Amino acid sequence: MGKTILLTVVIVSGLVLVISCAAGQNNIPEDIRVDTLSSGNFEATFSIDPYVTSGGEIRLALEVKNIGDEEDTIIFNSAQMYDFWVIDAQGQELWRWSADQAFAQVIKEVPLSPGQGMGFAETYNATGLLPGVYTLYARVNSSQLEGELTQRLEIKG
């Protein structure tokens, strides 16, 4: 019963993110940390929940939005449209969302109207992280939005 409720909450949360992004709304609360990357008609926004103090789950959200005045198509280099990863203060990679995934090597084209966006959300289980500073990364796998977005996370003991 508990697993069913948790799964339902996760699915509904993901749908709310995708639906709100598709509607062109920016529903990121003001106290959520955000990093943005813009190129041409597209903007990527990476946000995390800043209230993690002793490990636990960290919600990572990435939105790609058409900020232009006309419809434009974002082209993804493969079926892997995005990635998230975590690096510790020594530069060691602790987790990568795509590490245990397999992706088709096909180009994916997604047309977006002006103001329309699409969202991706994953959860990183930070349980067991020692107190310290970590860097969380996000990347859109499209040559139209090259670069990495970052967030600093401090785990307090």
Side-chain angles (χ1 to χ4, degrees):
M1 175 81 172
K3 289 182 181 178
T4 303
I5 292 171
L6 178 61
L7 181 59
T8 301
V9 169
V10 169
I11 291 171
V12 170
S13 297
L15 288 174
V16 168
L17 176 67
V18 171
I19 289 169
S20 67
C21 290
Q25 302 171 357
N26 183 354
N27 290 329
I28 300 171
E30 290 181 21
D31 58 348
I32 300 295
R33 287 181 272 182
V34 175
D35 187 20
T36 59
L37 172 69
S38 298
S39 180
N41 287 336
F42 298 104
E43 179 179 78
T45 304
F46 176 38
S47 61
I48 65 168
D49 181 347
Y51 299 110
V52 179
T53 56
S54 61
E57 292 189 342
I58 302 168
R59 185 169 179 274
L60 311 171
L62 180 62
E63 178 187 14
V64 176
K65 186 175 184 179
N66 179 351
I67 57 172
D69 296 329
E70 298 179 4
E71 181 176 288
D72 201 349
T73 300
I74 187 159
I75 302 169
F76 296 97
N77 303 329
S78 72
Q80 180 187 359
M81 296 184 280
Y82 64 98
D83 205 358
F84 294 110
W85 64 100
V86 178
I87 305 290
D88 68 13
Q90 290 73 40
Q92 179 181 352
E93 185 175 296
L94 304 177
W95 173 80
R96 184 176 291 263
W97 171 76
S98 64
D100 59 353
Q101 308 280 334
F103 300 97
Q105 297 302 308
V106 296
I107 293 175
K108 182 172 178 73
E109 298 182 7
V110 179
L112 296 173
S113 300
Q116 183 182 17
M118 58 189 303
F120 311 100
E122 300 296 338
T123 301
Y124 169 59
N125 185 349
T127 302
L129 282 184
L130 298 175
V133 176
Y134 300 86
T135 306
L136 290 74
Y137 291 87
R139 180 180 61 227
V140 177
N141 288 332
S142 170
S143 58
Q144 293 162 290
L145 274 171
E146 292 187 291
E148 298 168 347
L149 297 106
T150 61
Q151 292 287 345
R152 181 181 175 273
L153 175 72
E154 183 175 357
I155 302 291
K156 297 179 181 180

